[in-house]
Amino acid sequence: MKKKLFTTLMMVCLFAAAGTLQAQLLLEEYFDYDAGRPLILDAIESSDNYDGVTGWSTQNNSKSGINCFDIVEGPLTYDGYIGSGIGNSVRYNGDDGQGPFKLFSENVNNDSTVYISFLVKFSGDETVTGGDYFLGIKMEPSATSTNWGGRIYAAVDPVYAGEEVSLGINKLSGGTTTWVNSATGPFLPANTTHLLVIKYYVGILNGSSAAEEEGNYDDIMSLYINPDPAVGEPETPDLIHQDASQKDIYRYASSGKVIGGARGIYLRPSVMGNAPVYQIDGIRVGLTWEDVLPASNSLKNVSAKNFSYHVDNKIIEVSASEFDYSSYVLTNLAGQAVLSGSLQSDSGKIDASKLNTGIYILNLKGNQQASAKIIIR
């Protein structure tokens, strides 16, 4: 049979033994760019400064040319998290400068929920009592829009050794921010990597105008702090923020126009030293908990389209009922080939021991063609 042309399929359905794993990621960011470069290269004042390599832009204002986010060598790691240990990471240096953002692949609105998981490490070197927010949800794609919701705040006090960091959340500006406290906890150690998961329910339009909707806002923001990646979504979040009198991210404007939704992620710079220095990595955005936090072994024993594979000690063993594959190519998430070779029908083994830990695309070709995401640890 004539060999088919090989085409990499970047999005596939992965079928685990217990059922189907269909990750619908709206954004996946591991900062796998050259260490030492700014997140946004050659930024200038009063521009969106879109970076064609990283895909990040800046808010268009007088400070958009002041770089304060840099790619640093090495990723953040968190045991069991699928976004752990991949690529590099980005560090905010504490300056009052540009506010970078990256858009999701779709807008989430009108009775829908978005999940955002990421790794973060806060510096404990300086006291930050103001507790400004350091990350938020961008409501509109425009670089001139200043509407952000889903805000996470952080304060740092080095006096409390091992519990220096306090977190808070607020679904939008105004209202009262919900902070961890002595009754709820947890207070977090600085200079330690933490896994945070935002769950944001985007409510419906209540009424037919801004006046009718006022007082009936129904968005709900939840925050999970260091959840166990091997377990499903916890029944109770560590923090929750809901206020019917506080505007939603998807709502009527006073003009009568419907605006907003969960459109992207925004990294906020400090204002007058009110936000701590931090390092962030492993951002995953999806529509379900399972999208952003699949079980740690869910990409190790998988049946994908037309074949299955098993990973053990960085040896990938491929099998199929009819083994019609003669060669393979492993690419990283940027589409770059990192390993290739021939497959033998009697073994189907691939030695990936020289690869760094991370997520790759395994592409097979021969009389059939197939591909699947695969994790190497």
Side-chain angles (χ1 to χ4, degrees), residues 123-124 126-129 155-166 188 190:
S123 170
E126 297 182 2
T127 300
V128 180
T129 57
V156 176
D157 191 342
V159 170
Y160 299 97
E163 296 184 334
E164 298 93 341
V165 181
S166 303
L188 305 177

Side-chain angles (χ1 to χ4, degrees), residues 224 232-237:
Y224 301 85
E233 180 177 344
E235 291 186 8
T236 305

Side-chain angles (χ1 to χ4, degrees), residues 286-303:
L287 300 177
T288 69
W289 182 275
E290 290 73 22
D291 286 344
V292 298
L293 266 82
S296 60
N297 65 348
S298 63
L299 294 180
K300 289 188 176 182
N301 295 279
V302 176
S303 293

Side-chain angles (χ1 to χ4, degrees), residues 205-229:
L205 298 173
N206 290 294
S208 57
S209 67
E212 289 184 10
E213 194 170 24
E214 187 174 355
N216 297 296
Y217 298 111
D218 58 357
D219 281 10
I220 305 172
M221 180 181 180
S222 304
L223 181 66
Y224 301 85
I225 302 172
N226 291 328
D228 185 348

Side-chain angles (χ1 to χ4, degrees), residues 123-183:
S123 170
D125 296 337
E126 297 182 2
T127 300
V128 180
T129 57
D132 202 351
Y133 74 97
F134 67 92
L135 181 145
I137 295 174
K138 187 167 175 60
M139 294 168 48
E140 296 168 310
S142 169
T144 57
S145 170
T146 55
N147 292 322
W148 305 287
R151 304 176 179 197
I152 305 185
Y153 297 72
V156 176
D157 191 342
V159 170
Y160 299 97
E163 296 184 334
E164 298 93 341
V165 181
S166 303
L167 297 178
I169 61 173
N170 198 324
K171 70 173 189 174
L172 203 67
S173 60
T176 302
T177 299
T178 301
W179 287 87
V180 297
N181 55 54
S182 56

Side-chain angles (χ1 to χ4, degrees), residues 300-319:
K300 289 188 176 182
N301 295 279
V302 176
S303 293
K305 183 179 180 181
N306 300 328
F307 74 99
S308 61
Y309 63 82
H310 170 74
V311 182
D312 187 19
N313 293 325
K314 294 191 176 182
I315 299 296
I316 308 167
E317 187 168 359
V318 179
S319 59

